[in-house]
Amino acid sequence: MNSKNQKLETGDGEASSASAGLDLPPRQLSSPSTSYCADGDTMKRASAKKLIERYFYQLVDGCGNENCDNEYCASSGKLKQLTRNQAAAQAIQLFSKDARLCDAQPTKVARTQSSNSVTKNSASGDDGSLRLQPAATDQPAVLRKTDQPDNQCAAQTATKDKPVPFLTEERLLGVLETCRREDSYSLLIRTLGEVYSSVESLSRSFPRAGPESPLDALLDRAPCDLHRLKKEDVRTLEGEPDKDEDSKEQGAGACSVARGSPDELPVSIPSLRRAYHALFQVPGHVFESALVNALTTLAGDMDLALRVYREGAADVVAALVVVAEIPVLGTSEYLERALPYLCKSAAHLPLGAQARLARLWARHSRPRLQGLLEALQQLVTLRVISGRFTREYCLQDEEGITAPTKLMKILYYANILAGELDPPELRHEDTAAAPLDDTLLSDLAVKSPRPPPPEDPLAAELGVSVLDSRRPLFHFAEFYNEPLSDAIEMDKDFACYKSGESLSHLADRKFSFMNYAFVLTPATKTLGLYYDNRIRMYSERRMSFFNTVVGQPTNPYLRLKVRRDHIIEDALVELEMVAMENPKDLKKQLVVEFDGEQGIDEGGVSKEFFQLIVEEIFNPDYGMFTVQEEMQTVWFNPTSFESNAQFTLIGIVIGLAIYNNIILDIHFPMVVYKKLLGKQGTFWDLEDFNQALFTGLKAMLDYEQDDMEDTFMQTFRICCNDVFGSTFFHDLKEGGDHVYVTQDNKKEFVDLYADFLINTSVDKQFRAFRRGFQMVTDESPLHLLFRPEEVEQLVCGSKNFDFNELEEATEYDGGYASDSQVIRFFWDIVHKMALESKRKLLQFATGSDRVPVGGLSKLKLIIARNGPDSDRLPTAHTCFNVLLLPEYDSREKLHDRLMKAINYSKGFGML
């Protein structure tokens, strides 16, 4: 085949650029995973692509000759019908063996970007600025003002006739080739400076000429030498697109398209990545300062478009997609100069444009999202560490921190959309008037209707929720910024959050990190929830005082008086009476008194109360919950003899524990916390609910043979065991015993099975339980701040028993210091204890054997001297986490007294 060379014209002369090959422009086919750069090998590969494209369209559309006898041409009638992916893989194979190619042109031309020449127009002036002029192709090299769409960037100050320069992959390769030949990169610097400094120019660069051909994806994965393809290579290439399509149907791609039909991206991402790969083969010191300067100017252009002219958001979004693909965006020069200004400008994107950017990033920029997140995190961390903040000028006032956080929020939802999603129909909210059967609380929902949980505006615009995320593209924990979380003053941030609740317009609200909770660690978010709860408690106490003044005295606290040997009956009866008389009393500070025992509850007695009540309620002998032996988790007993009111009151107990900042020893599967936040359980939730069942059902889903009925012998009738060990059967659909599971209905069977176990069979019990939980937490920002796995930490605490952290965080009083002899003995003994003994020590000293959210470093333990050496046992003020330790004169004596204290202390020795 003959190839023809296109010319790159400059003010100094002419030079040949990429070999065009046939009728279509060259394209560099190397990717970041290959070693090709913009030199001879790349040009040969580009020419090869042109030939492969002719094979592709010959297979798909034919040559148009009715008498064609080429077995590799669709016009011959000898070729079976192929999908586009199959045709793409076969086209590569035909090229590798030099198969026959019809002389006539295909009925469709290849849909790639047209090639244009780059001209340095000397007639434009002596300033040396680049002018891009069109070659004789169907794609203009410049766009004039009269050709722009209505939503063009108004920040462009050119005249009507001034052309808008833009780049394509071919032009950039040509510029690089010219610069190498002339050993001068001035042309590249001028080109980047002119295009990357303008929103309008950058948004029109690297354009898509049409739908991306499957050849783009296949050739990016193909081996470097296309003439030496092995059969295994072709089979791999032919199979991967199908797998990609399957994954999209099950994961983010299909869901995101179904939810809001993301806008088409005018930029060709494969072309853009190839162009960047070629560009960054050039030593960075040659052009990167110019590129950074151009990006800084671009930020100003964005700012004008969004804040002054209030139009051009679509161009800004396209420009941000192009900029986000820069592979070195997180390096020092970009991080310190360009990225802060870009974030400040992007922070002014309107809500619709934010949603569009999230969809485009999720759909087209998945490989770059984590790198972009790391760059933004570095920027925030740098500003937090280097800033000088006071009570008057805090983190919330620093735009260098808030702007990247706003952009990170768009990235957060892009991460959700790019992962695996469950359908939004699984999200639900119990109707407020739904009665609770056989309970005195049946009309409680009508008396106190719950306000809807707060919803993030961007999530609402996208039609997605964090609850929909079965598996994000990368873990949510990577969004935590620990330096920011440690530095933030949550009381100040909470004040900003509350003041913004009364303002309807988002632009008028003061920035609060509680509205961007994904960036905060669970320990910091717990502090925000603590402030909200405490303010509600003080508000209820103040109202009680006012009522007393006007002659209607009420108790300022939620007081529970219980007997140790009847703790369940006493607690549930008193809570039911409170919920019936005035549910708002549940928002008061809890004060517990054990009948016949002295002690003032400053927190420690409440901790013991919850510990005892949880031990008894979740004991399988009590009959309300069962234990899943394999996973060692508890689950609702669908055949429980207890009324639904009892489950409501258990929900109130769990809510009160969160409300009073008390951690419980509860072992629910994760699906419980998802359901508490409003999402139905699915098949995927069986993995930590019943691992053996999940494995069996997954094997059924993965089985592809035609003998499924004979292999599994499974009908739509399932066998279950109740709490007493008795067997019963349940039909998942009408006549289920006569409907066998086949390849066609296996997914329906799995979904119905999981729905029955997790949702339907315990529906009444769980609805009552959730209703009680919401009676306490309905007005708190729990939904706003926490994901399901974080709610588990909030209820159960951390699972990391690191006593080295506790030692570092412990304070000393009464004459003790970290280097005191008895203190050194104490920590030597503690570090050598078994885990069970360590838990008992925590129980003795703090009233709870659980680790707080964030680890033991968040537990402020105080060890105080309690007199000289004596035979007394250690004691503790659990309300204040104070351990009173006599100054024993030997390690052996300390060990003996300490072990006796922690093993025989229940109800004694704790004040």
Side-chain angles (χ1 to χ4, degrees), residues 158 210 245 462 542 545 581 666 676 757 803 830 832 873 885:
E245 292 301 319
L462 289 167
R542 187 171 61 251
F545 173 76
E581 292 177 3
I666 298 177
L676 276 176
L757 289 180
F803 273 71
V830 169
K832 293 179 180 179
L873 296 176
L885 198 66

Side-chain angles (χ1 to χ4, degrees), residues 685-745:
D685 294 311
L686 289 176
E687 189 168 8
D688 70 336
F689 175 80
N690 188 327
Q691 179 68 52
L693 178 62
F694 175 81
T695 302
L697 293 177
K698 187 70 167 58
M700 176 182 289
L701 286 176
D702 294 339
Y703 192 78
E704 299 294 341
Q705 304 300 320
D706 295 332
D707 60 346
M708 174 168 278
E709 294 184 45
D710 296 331
T711 301
F712 289 91
M713 295 293 292
Q714 177 64 53
T715 67
F716 274 71
R717 171 173 289 182
I718 59 174
C719 176
C720 303
N721 294 323
D722 61 19
V723 69
F724 304 107
S726 303
T727 300
F728 67 94
F729 295 94
H730 174 77
D731 286 352
L732 297 176
K733 59 193 305 186
E734 188 175 351
D737 191 33
H738 304 290
V739 180
Y740 279 87
V741 177
T742 65
Q743 288 290 358
D744 295 331
N745 62 19

Side-chain angles (χ1 to χ4, degrees), residues 425-577:
E425 292 76 19
L426 292 175
R427 278 182 272 140
H428 69 91
E429 185 66 30
D430 290 339
T431 56
L436 297 175
D437 299 336
D438 61 11
T439 173
L440 296 176
L441 301 176
S442 59
D443 60 341
L444 195 55
V446 179
K447 290 183 180 180
S448 56
R450 297 187 309 275
E455 186 174 20
D456 184 82
L458 182 54
E461 181 74 16
L462 289 167
V464 73
S465 166
V466 67
L467 292 175
D468 299 337
S469 180
R470 185 193 317 149
R471 183 179 291 108
L473 184 63
F474 46 88
H475 200 278
F476 286 126
E478 296 194 34
F479 283 87
Y480 296 151
N481 189 294
E482 294 188 2
L484 172 65
S485 299
D486 292 339
I488 193 172
E489 298 177 75
M490 281 307 295
D491 58 338
K492 189 92 172 179
D493 193 76
F494 180 77
C496 296
Y497 166 73
K498 294 302 290 184
S499 65
E501 282 188 331
S502 59
L503 300 175
S504 59
H505 198 279
L506 292 176
D508 298 331
R509 298 181 182 179
K510 190 171 178 62
F511 186 91
S512 169
F513 285 100
M514 287 183 65
N515 291 315
Y516 300 82
F518 57 85
V519 79
L520 302 177
T521 60
T524 302
K525 287 188 278 193
T526 301
L527 193 57
L529 185 66
Y530 171 80
Y531 283 122
D532 183 81
N533 294 340
R534 285 293 166 180
I535 288 174
R536 293 185 193 280
M537 291 177 186
Y538 295 150
S539 176
E540 292 296 329
R541 199 178 306 172
R542 187 171 61 251
M543 289 303 300
S544 296
F545 173 76
F546 289 150
N547 290 335
T548 302
V549 170
V550 299
Q552 298 177 349
T554 57
N555 197 323
Y557 299 98
L558 172 60
R559 291 190 177 274
L560 298 180
K561 186 173 182 180
V562 297
R563 296 167 293 174
R564 283 185 179 271
D565 52 350
H566 296 86
I567 191 169
I568 295 285
E569 296 88 336
D570 292 353
L572 296 188
V573 167
E574 291 205 34
L575 285 175
E576 185 169 22
M577 293 302 296

Side-chain angles (χ1 to χ4, degrees), residues 41-256:
D41 287 337
T42 301
M43 300 311 170
K44 291 177 183 178
R45 188 173 170 90
S47 297
K49 180 177 184 289
K50 311 313 298 181
L51 189 57
I52 293 171
E53 284 180 331
R54 288 199 59 188
Y55 280 116
F56 173 76
Y57 287 107
Q58 179 175 286
L59 290 167
V60 173
D61 300 316
C63 66
N65 183 0
E66 296 181 357
N67 300 319
C68 178
D69 60 352
N70 185 353
E71 61 178 323
Y72 302 121
C73 179
S75 297
S76 68
K78 301 178 180 180
L79 189 68
K80 68 175 183 179
Q81 188 173 1
L82 302 172
T83 66
R84 291 176 63 82
N85 287 330
Q86 290 171 337
Q90 190 165 339
I92 298 175
Q93 188 176 23
L94 294 178
F95 168 81
S96 66
K97 63 181 184 181
D98 294 325
R100 177 182 171 188
L101 187 64
C102 295
D103 293 332
Q105 292 292 328
T107 57
K108 289 188 179 180
V109 297
R111 287 167 282 191
T112 60
Q113 297 146 344
S114 58
S115 180
N116 299 283
S117 61
V118 182
T119 305
K120 181 181 177 184
N121 190 353
S122 59
S124 63
D126 299 327
D127 59 353
S129 59
L130 183 66
R131 298 291 181 265
L132 304 180
Q133 300 295 344
T137 63
D138 58 349
Q139 171 71 41
V142 294
L143 300 177
R144 300 184 181 276
K145 284 289 181 180
T146 54
D147 299 325
Q148 298 308 304
D150 294 336
N151 65 343
Q152 62 179 331
C153 176
Q156 182 65 259
T157 59
T159 62
K160 282 188 177 182
D161 295 329
K162 183 177 179 180
V164 179
F166 66 99
L167 270 177
T168 65
E169 179 188 352
E170 290 78 14
R171 293 196 196 110
L172 183 58
L173 295 181
V175 169
L176 291 172
E177 182 67 23
T178 299
C179 292
R180 286 193 195 92
R181 190 186 66 256
E182 296 179 353
D183 196 23
S184 171
Y185 286 88
S186 58
L187 177 60
L188 175 64
I189 291 171
R190 290 196 302 273
T191 303
L192 295 177
E194 188 159 15
V195 173
Y196 276 79
S197 62
S198 166
V199 170
E200 197 167 10
S201 294
L202 196 57
S203 65
R204 285 153 178 75
S205 295
F206 308 101
R208 286 180 59 185
E212 293 291 344
S213 166
L215 286 173
D216 287 333
L218 265 68
L219 287 171
D220 279 342
R221 294 194 297 264
C224 297
D225 191 346
L226 296 173
H227 278 289
R228 297 181 181 178
L229 282 178
K230 300 177 181 178
K231 291 182 179 180
E232 294 80 6
D233 295 329
V234 177
R235 280 198 297 268
T236 300
L237 292 174
E238 188 172 4
E240 283 189 9
D242 293 334
K243 292 179 182 178
D244 291 342
E245 292 301 319
D246 291 341
S247 66
K248 285 182 180 180
E249 289 178 7
Q250 297 175 7
C255 289
S256 60

Side-chain angles (χ1 to χ4, degrees), residues 436 441 572 575 579 586 610 613-614 617-618 624-625 636 643-660 664 666 668 672 676 765-778 782 795:
L436 297 175
L441 301 176
L572 296 188
L575 285 175
L586 296 172
F610 278 106
I613 200 171
V614 163
I617 284 177
F618 291 94
M624 294 185 71
F625 294 89
F636 301 86
S643 68
N644 291 336
Q646 298 293 83
F647 285 96
T648 300
L649 296 169
I650 299 305
I652 292 176
V653 168
I654 306 298
L656 284 174
I658 292 179
Y659 192 64
N660 289 272
L664 304 177
I666 298 177
F668 280 131
V672 170
L676 276 176
Q765 292 86 347
F766 188 85
R767 278 198 307 115
F769 173 77
R770 184 170 181 248
R771 187 74 53 83
F773 180 81
Q774 290 178 324
M775 286 169 62
V776 184
T777 63
D778 56 356
L782 185 72
V795 173

Side-chain angles (χ1 to χ4, degrees), residues 194-363:
E194 188 159 15
V195 173
Y196 276 79
S197 62
S198 166
V199 170
E200 197 167 10
S201 294
L202 196 57
S203 65
R204 285 153 178 75
S205 295
F206 308 101
R208 286 180 59 185
E212 293 291 344
S213 166
L215 286 173
D216 287 333
L218 265 68
L219 287 171
D220 279 342
R221 294 194 297 264
C224 297
D225 191 346
L226 296 173
H227 278 289
R228 297 181 181 178
L229 282 178
K230 300 177 181 178
K231 291 182 179 180
E232 294 80 6
D233 295 329
V234 177
R235 280 198 297 268
T236 300
L237 292 174
E238 188 172 4
E240 283 189 9
D242 293 334
K243 292 179 182 178
D244 291 342
E245 292 301 319
D246 291 341
S247 66
K248 285 182 180 180
E249 289 178 7
Q250 297 175 7
C255 289
S256 60
V257 171
R259 299 220 178 160
S261 59
D263 301 341
E264 289 297 328
L265 180 65
V267 178
S268 172
I269 293 295
S271 175
L272 176 64
R273 288 177 183 158
R274 292 192 295 266
Y276 278 147
H277 181 67
L279 176 63
F280 284 94
Q281 301 296 319
V282 177
H285 67 273
V286 172
F287 68 89
E288 289 200 44
S289 291
L291 181 56
V292 170
N293 290 333
L295 291 174
T296 305
T297 305
L298 176 71
D301 202 19
M302 289 180 179
D303 211 46
L304 282 172
L306 297 174
R307 301 179 66 183
V308 178
Y309 297 99
R310 298 187 181 277
E311 57 183 23
D315 283 352
V316 172
V317 167
L320 285 172
V321 172
V322 174
V323 171
E325 289 291 329
I326 296 175
V328 294
L329 201 58
T331 55
S332 60
E333 194 170 6
Y334 295 89
L335 197 65
E336 295 174 5
R337 295 175 54 197
L339 193 56
Y341 292 104
L342 288 168
C343 290
K344 290 177 183 178
S345 300
H348 299 290
L349 280 171
L351 187 60
Q354 293 178 37
R356 181 170 184 263
L357 180 58
R359 290 193 293 261
L360 292 177
W361 272 345
R363 191 176 185 189

